[in-house]
Amino acid sequence: MENKNSGEILLEIKDLSISFFNKSGEVQAVRNISYTLNRGEVLGIVGESGSGKSVSSHGILRLTPASGKVKNGEILFKGKDILKMSKQELMDLRGNRIAMIFQDPMTSLDPLFTVGYQLNEALKKHTELDKKQREKRMIELLEMVGINQPERRIKQYPYEFSGGMRQRVMIAMALSCDPELLIADEPTTALDVTIQAQIIDLLKELKEKLGMAIIFITHDLGVVSDICDKIIVMYAGRIVEEGRSRQIFYERRHPYTEGLLASVPDIDSDVNEKLRPIRGNPPDMSCLKPGCAFAPRCEYAMGICVREEPPQIEIDDTHCAACWKLVRDALAEGSV
């Protein structure tokens, strides 16, 4: 959907498709997605496992595994196509102007080296600071992410930190070079609910303080409700709904978005009330059938849903969804 906000566009994804190839054939992980991200904006990308949300974000930094291939599209960062960058340009981009934090901080941090050593390596690679300046910067970074006694902590190993503290270290490493864009790939999934809330609050605080844009990837809509300016909902490699945070939570129009929200526990609900899971399973991406990929699981499915893929329907300037039900309702109302 076209970005009609007044902010400066930092990242623009145009018609991006990414596939993986194996002995069985092609797996279409991402299918013709497009979106824009403004400077200082927080974008949530939500969907079940296998929806393509992580693959699309890893593609921004060209971190797609060897078996994967970008089939078509453009990834424009400040107007320059990342897919056409040289190896040196890409090295200058990664960890510097665009940084990434991953789902599991225990596997992201090397257990054989101290936290200080790993922070120092990031600073040596991307800055011209001398040893004394790097030591000062490391202390500042750990303080920034809420780690007490940073002078002592930088001498410790990852196993001496809790899961939440390790994730804070990963955030500190990502912020070491003042990136313009931070990609957070399910950064709270391996943490308990209390620590999740702390990490979300930390990211909100850092976003306000540093003015960076954030792409926040998660399978849980409840996690992104309080941090995102806008949200993209992905299913079977496609964007099925996109809108401002308020629109996705209170004016959602796609049945899949409705299903995701209905499956999130509500603290105010009756304790005897059962969760409403989305029936069925996600499709096999190696043999997608014609029509809407969500049709076999959708209570509103019609004949056309299994024959033709639905177009993106613009609900208003900032809200769109890909669903034949929207077309049918618009025809019934006489607005089409």
Side-chain angles (χ1 to χ4, degrees):
M1 184 173 64
E2 181 183 356
N3 193 321
K4 298 185 179 181
N5 298 317
S6 58
E8 177 191 349
I9 293 177
L10 182 68
L11 179 73
E12 189 170 10
I13 307 295
K14 292 185 176 181
D15 207 27
L16 180 67
S17 294
I18 301 174
S19 288
F20 292 90
F21 297 87
N22 53 38
K23 293 179 181 178
S24 303
E26 179 183 357
V27 178
Q28 301 176 57
V30 175
R31 301 186 292 145
N32 302 104
I33 69 168
S34 299
Y35 64 84
T36 57
L37 177 68
N38 287 341
R39 186 177 294 279
E41 193 171 44
V42 182
L43 168 68
I45 302 182
V46 183
E48 293 171 285
S49 296
S51 62
K53 58 189 187 298
S54 289
V55 173
S56 64
S57 62
H58 290 192
I60 293 171
L61 286 173
R62 284 168 52 182
L63 294 174
T64 307
S67 60
K69 179 184 177 182
V70 176
K71 292 184 66 178
N72 59 264
E74 295 177 296
I75 303 172
L76 304 177
F77 181 71
K78 300 173 74 172
K80 188 165 185 177
D81 192 351
I82 293 174
L83 297 176
K84 295 178 180 177
M85 286 184 176
S86 65
K87 285 185 178 181
Q88 186 57 53
E89 287 176 313
L90 199 56
M91 286 177 65
D92 292 339
L93 184 77
R94 289 173 178 164
N96 190 6
R97 290 184 289 162
I98 302 179
M100 194 164 193
I101 54 177
F102 296 92
Q103 179 174 340
D104 188 351
M106 195 63 237
T107 56
S108 299
L109 290 168
D110 193 322
L112 300 179
F113 296 98
T114 65
V115 162
Y117 178 90
Q118 294 179 67
L119 275 168
N120 188 49
E121 286 299 295
L123 290 168
K124 276 202 297 187
K125 183 174 182 179
H126 292 294
T127 73
E128 296 181 357
L129 300 176
D130 61 32
K131 184 178 179 181
K132 205 164 192 177
Q133 290 171 325
R134 290 197 303 272
E135 288 177 357
K136 183 181 178 182
R137 178 63 173 156
M138 285 190 288
I139 300 300
E140 289 174 351
L141 287 166
L142 293 184
E143 287 177 340
M144 188 188 300
V145 298
I147 294 179
N148 295 324
Q149 299 180 304
E151 295 88 350
R152 179 175 66 88
R153 287 296 207 168
I154 60 173
K155 299 173 185 176
Q156 294 181 322
Y157 290 84
Y159 76 85
E160 299 179 81
F161 289 72
S162 66
M165 296 300 274
R166 288 195 296 265
Q167 194 61 285
R168 288 172 184 266
V169 171
M170 288 303 303
I171 294 170
M173 290 179 69
L175 299 179
S176 60
C177 299
D178 297 320
E180 295 172 80
L181 170 60
L182 176 66
I183 302 172
D185 185 7
E186 304 234 27
T188 62
T189 299
L191 308 174
D192 66 51
V193 176
T194 303
I195 304 302
Q196 281 185 13
Q198 292 176 7
I199 296 298
I200 295 294
D201 287 343
L202 173 62
L203 288 173
K204 285 168 57 180
E205 180 186 327
L206 292 172
K207 181 257 181 183
E208 293 300 324
K209 183 177 180 179
L210 304 175
M212 63 186 175
I214 300 176
I215 296 177
F216 194 104
I217 301 155
T218 182
H219 63 276
D220 186 352
L221 263 171
V223 169
V224 298
S225 61
D226 198 33
I227 188 173
C228 294
D229 299 303
K230 63 181 182 182
I231 296 171
I232 284 172
V233 180
M234 290 189 68
Y235 186 79
R238 284 195 78 202
I239 294 174
V240 296
E241 186 160 10
E242 177 182 353
R244 310 304 293 175
S245 184
R246 170 186 52 79
Q247 292 168 324
I248 296 298
F249 280 94
Y250 301 108
E251 302 166 24
R252 62 262 184 187
R253 301 296 295 276
H254 198 282
Y256 179 60
T257 309
E258 183 67 45
L260 285 178
L261 285 165
S263 63
V264 176
D266 185 352
I267 196 170
D268 297 319
S269 64
D270 190 321
V271 292
N272 297 315
E273 185 179 339
K274 293 183 178 180
L275 293 178
R276 290 166 45 203
I278 302 173
R279 65 178 186 176
N281 297 305
D284 183 346
M285 300 299 286
S286 64
C287 55
L288 284 171
K289 297 178 180 179
C292 174
F294 188 63
R297 308 174 73 186
C298 181
E299 61 182 296
Y300 305 106
M302 303 172 283
I304 194 172
C305 298
V306 297
R307 296 193 305 269
E308 297 181 37
E309 200 161 52
Q312 284 281 358
I313 305 299
E314 191 169 296
I315 299 158
D316 63 31
D317 287 354
T318 58
H319 190 192
C320 66
C323 182
W324 284 115
K325 181 177 179 292
L326 292 181
V327 178
R328 185 194 65 186
D329 293 348
L331 288 170
E333 295 169 5
S335 57
V336 173

